[in-house]
């Protein structure tokens, strides 16, 4: 089993920045790839960013490309999501996820473990 704990959410004005963290514990040696997703009220959970456990292979959807950056710290088993130039439409609960094997990375079913989520609210 892998446990994931997110932190760093909060309230920020449009144009501001936040950095989310996701600390992984347990059988982290089984992780192949980490991802961030978000879910706004009444909407489906959507892909935000992903990074391989080795630190390469980062991918983003067009909606956040150039504004969000995913990274990881090998020593701390932690993945980060730096969010800049935030917009009100970025408001959502943000979830960290981990998958065991290689393969696709932008669907919720691609991932085996999930954190509890952290709320990000961007005011206009």
């Amino acid at each position: 089993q892998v446990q994931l704990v997110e932190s760093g959410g909060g309230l920020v004005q449009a144009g501001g920045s936040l950095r989310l963290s996701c600390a992984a514990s347990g059988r982290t040696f089984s992780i192949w790839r980490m991802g961030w997703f978000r879910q706004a009220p009444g909407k489906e959970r959507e892909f935000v960013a992903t990074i391989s456990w080795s630190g390469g292979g980062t991918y983003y959807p067009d909606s956040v490309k150039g504004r969000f950056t995913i990274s990881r710290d090998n020593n701390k088993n932690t993945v980060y999501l730096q969010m800049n130039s935030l917009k009100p439409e970025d408001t959502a609960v943000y979830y960290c996820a981990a998958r065991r094997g290689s393969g696709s990375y932008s669907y919720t079913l691609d991932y085996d473990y999930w954190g509890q989520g952290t709320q990000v609210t961007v005011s206009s």
Side-chain angles (χ1 to χ4, degrees):
Q1 289 289 338
V2 172
Q3 293 78 43
L4 303 173
V5 179
E6 303 100 333
S7 60
L11 174 65
V12 64
Q13 288 188 333
S17 299
L18 279 176
R19 189 178 80 156
L20 306 183
S21 300
C22 174
S25 61
R27 299 170 63 90
T28 57
F29 60 85
S30 67
I31 297 174
W32 181 266
R33 176 170 288 280
M34 299 288 294
W36 285 97
F37 287 73
R38 67 186 181 186
Q39 189 167 19
K43 295 188 177 181
E44 293 187 353
R45 195 168 296 188
E46 65 173 357
F47 168 66
V48 172
T50 186
I51 188 169
S52 68
W53 192 237
S54 65
T58 59
Y59 302 96
Y60 308 89
D62 288 343
S63 57
V64 307
K65 194 175 295 182
R67 300 189 298 122
F68 290 10
T69 303
I70 189 170
S71 63
R72 67 158 303 207
D73 184 326
N74 292 349
N75 293 328
K76 296 182 179 179
N77 284 340
T78 298
V79 173
Y80 304 98
L81 184 68
Q82 178 66 44
M83 305 185 295
N84 299 328
S85 302
L86 283 162
K87 305 175 182 180
E89 51 263 44
D90 294 319
T91 296
V93 177
Y94 283 69
Y95 296 91
C96 175
R99 66 165 292 155
R100 291 191 298 262
S102 61
S104 59
Y105 52 77
S106 61
Y107 298 97
T108 57
L109 291 177
D110 294 334
Y111 293 83
D112 303 291
Y113 305 104
W114 291 85
Q116 82 288 350
T118 185
Q119 176 71 46
V120 171
T121 303
V122 184
S123 63
S124 57

